[in-house]
Amino acid sequence: MHAIATYQYKTLQVSITENIVTVTLNRPQKKNALSFELINELVKIAEHIRKDRSLRAVILNGAQGTFCAGIDLGDLNNPKNKAYALWELVKPWQSLFQRVCLVWRELPVPVIAVLEGHCIGAGMQLALACDVRISHPDCKLSIMEAKWGLVPDMGLTQSAFGVVRADILKELSMTARMVDGTQGQQLGLVSHISDTPLEQAQEMAYEFAERSPDAVLASKRVINAMYEQSALTLYKEKVWQLKMMLGHNRKVALKKAKEASTTFAKRQFR
């Protein structure tokens, strides 16, 4: 038995079949929103996968027909977590929020995201950091941070570079527009559309497993190198998120999400 299968997780389900790992976000009561516990467990399982050279591919999905509804705002706004979240934004190296996404990009095996139900906000950033995204046509996709007066700060500048056109990425980030899986494929958010995305992901994973694991690794490393960004770019995500969180229009955005007639103050930053 793989060592990974012996670990006990509170927010994940993990299974291994023929050296293919399926990692399932398992907070269905919250539509698999990312709590701090889930974020830490995702980073932990990714590190375990990285160390196991027998594994050939990863499938990342969500329990009960939905991928991920973003950050768990209730957990994030808990007073005991606010100081921790601010430290993650202030510290000069990669934040935990960036790490939970980019760690999948760094794994030495291909990672396939299975998108169903909702894939929004942090969920969309997590999916973009995977190597391939297979979506149900009805899945709801959105880079939703602007709705809450925030900016995408979970490694989007790295994971979306070379995947989504810059003009499309700006439009989606600025509007927080929701699109379905079919539209998402047209826009570059999604690799493939399928009525049975998990089955297609499993077929693709077995196809990867038929090739030399070193050739698969080398392909991932070489192609990722085409789109590498500097650490400064990631740091800018954090700087701008801090500005958003401390700015006056952040509170207005939260109110506007409930009352559409609410109007924003003048732009604070330049």
Side-chain angles (χ1 to χ4, degrees):
M1 178 181 290
H2 289 268
I4 294 171
T6 66
Y7 290 97
Q8 298 297 314
Y9 295 95
K10 294 182 180 179
T11 61
L12 295 174
Q13 292 179 341
V14 181
S15 63
I16 302 175
T17 303
E18 297 183 37
N19 296 323
I20 294 168
V21 188
T22 300
V23 177
T24 303
L25 282 61
N26 190 32
R27 298 185 73 226
Q29 74 282 6
K30 294 285 188 175
K31 294 186 178 179
N32 302 319
L34 296 182
S35 63
F36 277 86
E37 185 174 44
L38 177 51
I39 287 172
N40 281 303
E41 290 197 336
L42 281 169
V43 172
K44 183 182 295 185
I45 186 67
E47 290 299 328
H48 291 322
I49 292 169
R50 181 179 62 81
K51 295 174 183 177
D52 190 334
R53 297 194 180 193
S54 68
L55 300 177
R56 306 299 297 277
V58 178
I59 296 172
L60 188 63
N61 70 343
Q64 294 188 17
T66 199
F67 183 66
C68 176
I71 285 281
D72 186 333
L73 293 176
D75 197 46
L76 182 64
N77 292 328
N78 187 317
K80 70 178 182 180
N81 291 329
K82 279 189 174 181
Y84 179 65
L86 284 173
W87 162 243
E88 289 295 326
L89 291 174
V90 170
K91 70 183 188 182
W93 56 92
Q94 197 176 90
S95 74
L96 177 64
F97 306 108
Q98 293 170 333
R99 185 68 182 156
V100 71
C101 294
L102 297 182
V103 68
W104 305 95
R105 181 181 174 88
E106 297 164 6
L107 287 186
V109 292
V111 182
I112 308 166
V114 175
L115 310 183
E116 298 178 279
H118 288 83
C119 177
I120 58 179
M124 190 72 251
Q125 292 188 75
L126 176 61
L128 283 168
C130 297
D131 300 297
V132 180
R133 288 158 299 286
I134 303 176
S135 175
H136 190 279
D138 295 332
C139 182
K140 302 303 180 185
L141 314 168
S142 177
I143 303 172
M144 189 171 276
E145 283 74 10
K147 180 177 179 179
W148 312 113
L150 298 173
V151 66
D153 70 330
M154 298 178 68
L156 186 78
T157 54
Q158 180 70 68
S159 60
F161 186 44
V163 176
V164 184
R165 271 177 25 201
D167 58 335
I168 297 297
L169 194 60
K170 289 176 184 177
E171 179 182 339
L172 294 175
S173 298
M174 292 173 181
T175 63
R177 182 184 305 134
M178 190 92 72
V179 300
D180 63 25
T182 301
Q183 293 170 307
Q185 185 184 36
Q186 295 168 352
L187 295 170
L189 295 172
V190 170
S191 311
H192 302 283
I193 292 294
S194 174
D195 289 326
T196 54
L198 179 58
E199 291 180 16
Q200 184 167 338
Q202 290 167 339
E203 292 173 5
M204 184 178 293
Y206 286 121
E207 189 175 1
F208 288 142
E210 287 294 312
R211 303 297 171 230
S212 159
D214 293 307
V216 171
L217 165 64
S219 296
K220 179 168 177 171
R221 293 285 188 254
V222 166
I223 295 169
N224 279 354
M226 294 169 59
Y227 304 105
E228 286 182 354
Q229 294 278 39
S230 71
L232 180 60
T233 306
L234 288 175
Y235 189 65
K236 283 185 177 180
E237 290 184 9
K238 301 200 296 178
V239 169
W240 275 106
Q241 191 69 298
L242 275 171
K243 290 181 177 182
M244 296 301 100
M245 292 177 69
L246 299 174
H248 52 236
N249 272 319
R250 155 71 167 154
K251 293 180 181 178
V252 179
L254 294 174
K255 185 177 180 181
K256 189 174 181 65
K258 298 178 180 179
E259 301 175 18
S261 61
T262 303
T263 58
F264 287 103
K266 290 182 180 180
R267 189 177 68 247
Q268 185 175 354
F269 304 105
R270 60 185 178 88

